[in-house]
Amino acid sequence: MDIERAVLENVNVEDFPGLPMAWRWSPMSRFVFSLAMDRDGDWAYQVNSIDGFDEDLVRAVLSFAREHRLGRGEMQSFAVASGFASDPYGFDVVAAVPPDVHGYHVGRNDALNEVVSAVFPAYQCEFSGNETLEETRYRFKRMLRPTVMPRPPVPYLRMRYENPRTGSGSIGSSRGFTTHDVLLREVELLEGATGSFVEFENFRGQVWRIEWDGSWVLNGEPREAPVSSAWVMAELGLPS
């Protein structure tokens, strides 16, 4: 696969400033696509940006991904490399997903698609390391907004809950992906709702169950005071 030739077939392609073997192009005004080829020419790393392009950040992400050969080869989940710094944004990792998740070139150049990792700046708290391929696809497509820079963290969070007073709850016994604002709201609604609970799992694989049964219970242990929003945020890896 001649990656360089395939990339140069796009319209408005130009060399990426300050980065060898890298190019960028804009198929329409809202989008900028940037790609850096691996040093041996057999793989590439691509950042897609929408409604805002930070050249320095994208250059740093592509350089970091190439240095770590991020997501190259067989991969069924996110590949995440720590040690990335991105002042003033706060990103602390770079993540990659495989070709059958991103589909950046499907239908236009399928051969190119199969040798490209989609890479993006991210936060450590967004990944558990145990995601299945389907979970990776769901998080990448529906939750993380990897093409938006800057963006706030979207922590890895799975939750199930039941609240008889509000009549709301999750379906089934499995924890599903949600956002931290939903978790905080449901925790606030527990007090006074006898028989209610919220159970959540964070990116570290820790599971916490908060219950109200006339008093507060945390993982089976009674407590006098409710858990604070600051505690919940800290468990999710977020600043309070």
Side-chain angles (χ1 to χ4, degrees), residues 162-164 189-198 210-213:
E162 186 72 38
N163 192 316
L189 291 171
L190 287 178
E191 188 166 10
T194 301
S196 61
F197 74 90
V198 171
I210 309 165
E211 301 175 74
W212 174 266
D213 195 13

Side-chain angles (χ1 to χ4, degrees), residues 15-23 35-39 59 63 66:
D15 291 341
F16 198 105
L19 193 62
M21 298 188 299
W23 304 269
L35 179 146
M37 193 163 59
D38 214 347
R39 301 190 188 284
R59 182 186 299 107
S63 297
R66 180 157 61 188

Side-chain angles (χ1 to χ4, degrees), residues 172-198:
S173 59
S174 299
R175 292 182 290 271
F177 285 115
T178 189
T179 54
H180 71 276
D181 57 325
V182 173
L183 171 61
L184 291 172
R185 183 185 71 237
E186 293 304 326
V187 170
E188 290 178 0
L189 291 171
L190 287 178
E191 188 166 10
T194 301
S196 61
F197 74 90
V198 171

Side-chain angles (χ1 to χ4, degrees), residues 17-53:
L19 193 62
M21 298 188 299
W23 304 269
R24 67 184 181 190
W25 65 101
S26 181
M28 59 186 70
S29 59
R30 297 182 63 200
F31 295 92
V32 178
F33 299 161
S34 305
L35 179 146
M37 193 163 59
D38 214 347
R39 301 190 188 284
D40 61 10
D42 293 336
W43 197 262
Y45 312 93
Q46 184 168 332
V47 174
N48 285 3
S49 305
I50 184 171
D51 293 335
F53 175 74

Side-chain angles (χ1 to χ4, degrees), residues 113-128:
N113 191 78
E114 292 306 306
V115 293
V116 171
S117 296
V119 297
F120 57 100
Y123 304 89
Q124 187 69 61
C125 67
E126 295 178 321
F127 311 100
S128 74

